[in-house]
Amino acid sequence: MYFLIDYDRGAGKLVSMTAFEADQGVAARAKRLALELEYHGAGRVREVVILQAPSEAHIRKTHRRYFETLEELVKLAG
Amino acid sequence: MSKPFTRSQINKLGERLRSGASDDDLRMLSEYRNSHEVALEATIHEVEECTRLTPVGRPKSNQSIIEKLRRQSTRLSQMQDIAGCRLVVEGPMQQRQLLESLLSRFPGAEVHDRRAKPSNGCRAIHLVVQHVDGQHVEIQLRTELQDLWAQCSERLADLHGIEVKYGGGPPEISALLTRLSEFVAEIERLQMLASPNAVADRVREAELPARLRCGYAMVGESFPQLRYLLGMLPDLVVSSRQAR
């Protein structure tokens, strides 16, 4: 699957996450470009990224920063 | 997917992106990034096959590519991490085993071992493999502790600016991240020493139980200190914001 992440670095918040099936890579990449152009046109800095994994659980393990606050990361470590 | 542009066109695009970016530049960058998809898919498949683990694929975001171009003198065509994938394993022993498996599968891979020589505090092993179509894919191998450090660093960079990731930003945060990184290295060094295989390499079998107990005790003693340092991070963020 493909997970299109729209993340606001300044606010430290996940704005949206859209899942695409494994055969929808082209659609995921087209949507990513559309978002990048939209933010560029509006002068907004956003992190728009596609993560590829069999499930959401996988990306929540390897890319925790999109989903957990600093306090949550630290708490889980304790 | 074939390479859509010449190397010269890609490098010229990189130069334009250093000073600004038009919509057409972003479209071209997107197309160039997409040209790595076949190499990324193939690499993920091979990693799965040889390790029985599932990496998460991550083509670099346009924003990250542009920031890297503006931070470094690297030419766009030479950037080796436009496509990448990441594996997080429990500890340093598993990381070492994983490295061995991957090197047997990708004997020509370029290895960037950032365990002993971290990059701005970031410890991990990165392998760069070259696909038959010439495109590069970076494979990141992290232990859970190395990953925790990296995730905290990223979060702090969100709050205090991207320079935190590269040793800049508020000095108190930079100092704490450096200290945390050193702690991660020390704990993992002890974990390696305490692991049965590593100890067996060094001591006679009769001495093994005592050496193991000693090694595990040392690891156990280090964790509360790591937790203490981690616990300081959120308060530090608040005080640093108030000071600005």
Side-chain angles (χ1 to χ4, degrees):
Chain A
M1 293 182 74
Y2 297 91
F3 297 90
L4 178 62
I5 304 266
D6 179 357
Y7 182 76
D8 186 340
R9 284 200 81 129
K13 281 187 180 161
L14 179 67
V15 178
S16 68
M17 180 172 72
T18 312
F20 295 81
E21 293 301 324
D23 60 357
Q24 293 182 308
V26 173
R29 290 189 282 275
K31 179 68 180 168
R32 175 180 60 188
L33 177 61
L35 276 176
E36 285 169 341
L37 290 171
E38 181 188 329
Y39 291 137
H40 181 249
R44 288 151 77 185
V45 177
R46 284 276 183 80
E47 188 165 324
V48 182
V49 66
I50 290 177
L51 299 177
Q52 187 179 346
S55 74
E56 191 181 319
H58 286 82
I59 64 170
R60 282 183 178 271
K61 182 180 176 187
T62 56
H63 291 75
R64 294 166 58 185
R65 60 177 275 254
Y66 295 129
F67 307 100
E68 296 170 35
T69 63
L70 186 64
E71 289 77 5
E72 286 165 339
L73 285 169
V74 171
K75 192 177 169 188
L76 286 172
Chain B
M1 198 179 293
S2 61
K3 286 185 185 180
F5 306 107
T6 65
R7 183 174 296 184
S8 165
Q9 285 174 313
I10 294 304
N11 287 332
K12 281 178 185 166
L13 170 65
E15 289 309 312
R16 291 198 298 277
L17 292 171
R18 280 186 217 281
S19 49
S22 68
D23 281 359
D24 282 345
D25 289 338
L26 289 182
R27 286 191 189 92
M28 186 172 167
L29 179 58
S30 181
E31 202 174 330
Y32 176 58
R33 180 178 52 187
N34 290 347
S35 73
H36 291 70
E37 283 299 325
V38 171
L40 178 59
E41 290 277 353
T43 304
I44 288 174
H45 181 67
E46 286 197 67
V47 171
E48 280 175 332
E49 234 180 38
C50 81
T51 66
R52 301 288 162 205
L53 297 171
T54 306
V56 169
R58 176 219 44 91
K60 213 172 183 65
S61 71
N62 267 0
Q63 190 61 32
S64 296
I65 295 172
I66 294 170
E67 282 169 4
K68 189 169 182 175
L69 284 168
R70 290 176 184 170
R71 207 172 52 244
Q72 301 179 356
S73 56
T74 318
R75 283 189 285 184
L76 181 55
S77 69
Q78 291 175 329
M79 216 180 267
Q80 296 182 322
D81 60 349
I82 286 178
C85 59
R86 181 180 298 164
L87 282 163
V88 179
V89 293
E90 191 183 342
M93 280 303 288
Q94 291 87 348
Q95 187 182 38
R96 190 171 82 171
Q97 286 160 2
L98 194 55
L99 175 64
E100 285 167 5
S101 302
L102 289 170
L103 282 177
S104 65
R105 185 64 168 236
F106 304 104
E110 207 175 293
V111 180
H112 301 281
D113 191 342
R114 293 178 179 157
R115 289 174 297 179
K117 287 184 182 174
S119 169
N120 298 302
C122 185
R123 295 175 195 273
I125 302 174
H126 291 180
L127 275 82
V128 177
V129 302
Q130 191 170 19
H131 191 249
V132 287
D133 66 4
Q135 303 288 32
H136 292 93
V137 178
E138 181 186 78
I139 307 169
Q140 300 182 349
L141 312 180
R142 291 180 181 172
T143 64
E144 286 179 359
L145 279 182
Q146 290 164 4
D147 184 62
L148 176 63
W149 185 94
Q151 305 286 347
C152 287
S153 167
E154 288 276 5
R155 266 289 175 183
L156 287 165
D158 291 346
L159 296 164
H160 293 279
I162 193 82
E163 58 275 14
V164 167
K165 277 174 69 178
Y166 307 103
E172 63 277 17
I173 288 179
S174 168
L176 187 56
L177 278 172
T178 301
R179 185 96 180 88
L180 278 168
S181 172
E182 288 165 357
F183 246 99
V184 167
E186 180 62 8
I187 288 174
E188 295 192 334
R189 189 184 69 79
L190 293 171
Q191 284 175 330
M192 287 293 273
L193 281 175
S195 71
N197 288 345
V199 175
D201 287 346
R202 292 173 175 77
V203 296
R204 286 182 291 112
E205 202 171 318
E207 296 171 6
L208 205 55
R211 293 292 293 268
L212 273 177
R213 274 198 300 278
C214 175
Y216 279 121
M218 286 161 75
V219 173
E221 282 165 15
S222 300
F223 270 106
Q225 294 176 64
L226 177 68
R227 286 196 199 103
Y228 173 74
L229 286 173
L230 279 168
M232 288 171 65
L233 279 175
D235 290 341
L236 199 57
V237 168
V238 173
S239 61
S240 183
R241 272 180 164 173
Q242 285 168 346
R244 278 191 293 170

